[in-house]
Every structure is written in structure tokens, then in C-alpha cells.
Amino acid sequence: VGVCRFYNDHFLGISTHFYALHGLGCEQTISQFHDWTLEDSQLFYAYAPDAAGNCPARSIPVYRLYNNGMGGAPNHRFTTDASVRTQMIAAGWVPEGNGIGVTFCSPQ
């Protein structure tokens, strides 16, 4: 499935990118968040997790976390490391995606 890449520089001069899978955030971002510019509708391809956040065989979860506006600008981080995910949640970041916050799955 294609992954969309968005760009935004409307937050106090801070610029940021956002990645979302078609069917899991891409279309919603296009329709609801008009200050995000779609740079590429299929920057790369990834596997889609199921509703519980499980990835297909021979792929690993990519977790997306949101800073919940800390610092005055939205920011997202992506990791494949579950311990990094746990540390970020402890620091106030919010998981986004299916299940425990799986936004897409990467080939292993």
C-alpha cells in the first residue's frame, strides 16, 4: 500500500513532515487538515497492519507516536523498536495507528 508524505511549515516557523498509509490516515489528512501539503501520494510502499495492529508474515511493525502538541508544533516519530516506543509514551507521546499504534509494516 502506498504511503503519503505531507509537509507543514505553519507552526511558528517550525516545519515538519508526516507519513500516513493509504487507508490509515492519508485520506483523512487530505480531507480534514488543509494546512498539510501532500508532497507525494506514494512516496514508498509498506504493508498494512490489521485492525489489531498485527503485521503480515515476514514484516515488522512501524510505530507512530505524536507529541500531542508539546513544544507548540505537532511532531510525529516513527520507530520499529518497541522499547523506544515505551520510552516515548512515558515521556508523554501518544501512539497512533492500529492496535498499540502500528501505522504500517515494513518488510523484515
Side-chain angles (χ1 to χ4, degrees), residues 1-6 19-22 26-27 38-46:
V1 177
V3 175
C4 296
R5 179 170 121 165
F6 296 91
Y19 301 84
L21 194 70
H22 278 278
C26 180
E27 292 79 8
L38 177 64
E39 288 187 315
D40 197 317
S41 66
Q42 295 186 45
L43 182 66
F44 59 92
Y45 294 87

Side-chain angles (χ1 to χ4, degrees), residues 13-70:
I14 299 170
S15 62
T16 187
H17 284 92
F18 175 71
Y19 301 84
L21 194 70
H22 278 278
L24 192 58
C26 180
E27 292 79 8
Q28 180 184 14
T29 302
I30 291 169
S31 67
Q32 295 180 7
F33 301 97
H34 302 288
D35 54 348
W36 287 88
T37 301
L38 177 64
E39 288 187 315
D40 197 317
S41 66
Q42 295 186 45
L43 182 66
F44 59 92
Y45 294 87
Y47 297 109
D50 67 18
N54 299 308
C55 289
R58 296 181 301 281
S59 66
I60 58 172
V62 177
Y63 306 105
R64 182 175 74 207
L65 299 113
Y66 172 58
N67 71 348
N68 209 18
M70 294 181 293

